[in-house]
Amino acid sequence: MFWQEDNHKTSFQIPDDIVDVLFSLVCKRLPVDHAYALSAALQQTAPWIAGDDSGVAVHTVHVAGSQNGWERPGHGTDQYLILSKRTKLTIRVPKQHTAALIKDLAGQTLDVAGCPLTIGPGKIRQLSKTTTLLSRHVASVPDATEAGFLDWAAQALSDQGIRVRKALCGKMTLLTTPSGMLRTRSLMLSDLTPEESVRLQQQGLGPHGKLGCGIFIPHKGIEAVGKTA
């Protein structure tokens, strides 16, 4: 008898040239729309983050939709997230910059739109080879319709050597910046290969990574994204 298993998924080793650094934090609340304020505060504390060659992408801070009777408010700079002790600040960065990132940020207190945020110790976490990924904010061509957004995403992913098999996008979300409102949509991709998944996490999709755009994270399933394409 001849029997050959497909060990493609189990044999793939995740490269560690790009990693996430998870910082503990002490912060009571943040505006729901805090992407620009958080990015600006981080760059003020560690100016090298602003450089195009830093490779830094800043995850927006996320909390559960409801907890202890608290319901997540609508999106806006005048609405607030209530943070728990388990909430983390996550920054995606090339491995060679992790020591500088932890040294410059740990112990610092940032002013994020009037909310004090104290950063604790940082812990390095590898990227995931999960084959379903979600980005909460992807910035594409301005004024793109849902169909136009998906067409743009499919082409951009193809240019990165990533084949789109299943994709769902969510409704438009506006991020506040000094130059105006930045239009974004959530995007979930499923049935990626482990190699594609890691490549997408490493490279991101589209501009404004320092505002939390185009950063992909593991997700349990494609059913929960909301609006189908």
Side-chain angles (χ1 to χ4, degrees):
M1 180 176 67
F2 179 82
W3 189 315
Q4 183 175 3
E5 294 283 359
D6 182 4
N7 293 321
H8 177 72
K9 292 185 179 181
T10 58
S11 63
F12 175 67
Q13 298 297 314
I14 302 173
D16 64 354
D17 48 335
I18 304 289
V19 296
D20 279 333
V21 180
L22 281 65
F23 293 93
S24 61
L25 56 84
V26 177
C27 182
K28 292 183 178 180
R29 66 177 195 170
L30 284 177
V32 178
D33 183 1
H34 63 265
Y36 179 83
L38 175 61
S39 180
L42 288 168
Q43 292 177 51
Q44 183 176 9
T45 304
W48 63 269
I49 290 176
D52 292 337
D53 59 349
S54 72
V56 168
V58 180
H59 297 245
T60 52
V61 177
H62 187 72
V63 299
S66 61
Q67 49 189 337
N68 298 325
W70 176 83
E71 293 294 332
R72 182 183 177 90
H75 187 79
T77 56
D78 59 346
Q79 301 291 319
Y80 290 88
L81 300 173
I82 306 302
L83 277 57
S84 74
K85 294 181 179 180
R86 296 188 300 274
T87 306
K88 303 294 183 184
L89 169 65
T90 305
I91 300 178
R92 190 159 293 174
V93 63
K95 186 179 181 181
Q96 68 266 26
H97 296 326
T98 55
L101 187 74
I102 293 171
K103 175 180 177 293
D104 290 346
L105 295 185
Q108 298 293 323
T109 297
L110 281 56
D111 181 342
V112 182
C115 299
L117 183 154
T118 300
I119 302 175
K123 180 180 179 181
I124 296 173
R125 182 180 67 187
Q126 275 194 319
L127 302 181
S128 171
K129 58 183 177 182
T130 300
T131 57
T132 299
L133 297 178
L134 168 70
S135 179
R136 295 190 176 96
H137 302 285
V138 177
S140 68
V141 292
D143 302 324
T145 63
E146 182 177 319
F149 170 81
L150 287 170
D151 288 343
W152 168 86
Q155 183 59 59
L157 290 165
S158 177
D159 292 343
Q160 295 178 218
I162 298 169
R163 178 186 167 199
V164 176
R165 299 168 183 85
K166 295 179 182 177
L168 296 175
C169 74
K171 66 180 182 180
M172 184 180 298
T173 301
L174 301 178
L175 302 183
T176 303
T177 76
S179 57
M181 304 303 289
L182 178 64
R183 300 187 179 198
T184 73
R185 288 183 184 271
S186 64
L187 179 64
M188 185 178 290
L189 301 169
S190 185
D191 288 2
L192 300 167
T193 66
E195 293 90 342
E196 290 172 332
S197 173
V198 172
R199 188 183 313 133
L200 182 54
Q201 292 170 75
Q202 289 177 324
Q203 298 177 358
L205 180 64
H208 305 298
K210 291 181 177 61
L211 298 181
C213 295
I215 303 175
F216 282 83
I217 59 175
H219 199 272
K220 292 181 180 179
I222 200 165
E223 296 82 6
V225 76
K227 191 176 182 180
T228 56

